[in-house]
Amino acid sequence: MDITTNGPVLSLHGDFDVRSTWEVRAAIYDHLEGCLDEDVVIDMAHVDNIDVTALRVLAVATRQAWLDGHHLTVRNCGPAVRRMMHLTRLARAIEVERAVASA
């Protein structure tokens, strides 16, 4: 798992699974602490696969951010990631940015 940052955006690259949850979790919480005045966005455009453990990390981080007065949003989820969110019923616990419809 490669993690890059660009301002309030945290970009994930690779498979987000149980092997990378500690690394991603630490990066998310460090990023939340560093971006006190901005909403944090997790860009998952380059995440092809995700498992339940990783989704739970995102769900808990979303809730913790909200409790701390922050806002955490996930963006650019691919079909496999969205499908897993719905299968695990964690889609309700993770805020996903809605794609803008093109005319």
Side-chain angles (χ1 to χ4, degrees):
M1 172 65 58
D2 291 323
I3 304 168
T4 57
T5 59
N6 183 12
V9 179
L10 189 71
S11 299
L12 306 181
H13 305 268
D15 290 337
F16 188 11
D17 55 22
V18 70
R19 295 171 292 179
S20 58
T21 53
W22 283 106
E23 178 184 8
V24 173
R25 181 186 178 281
I28 290 171
Y29 285 100
D30 287 346
H31 206 64
L32 283 168
E33 288 178 13
C35 295
L36 296 177
D37 297 334
E38 299 179 275
D39 293 340
V40 172
V41 176
I42 300 174
D43 189 341
M44 297 184 55
H46 302 287
V47 174
D48 296 322
N49 297 309
I50 194 164
D51 67 6
V52 175
T53 305
L55 286 173
R56 286 184 181 148
V57 167
L58 292 176
V60 170
T62 300
R63 176 153 170 76
Q64 189 60 50
W66 180 78
L67 290 172
D68 292 341
H70 300 292
H71 193 81
L72 183 113
T73 306
V74 177
R75 141 185 327 163
N76 295 328
C77 297
V81 173
R82 285 183 183 271
R83 184 172 32 257
M84 186 61 90
M85 282 183 183
H86 289 286
L87 287 173
T88 60
R89 298 179 189 231
L90 289 170
R92 294 177 286 194
I94 301 168
E95 185 167 342
V96 178
E97 182 179 83
R98 295 187 184 267
V100 177
S102 60

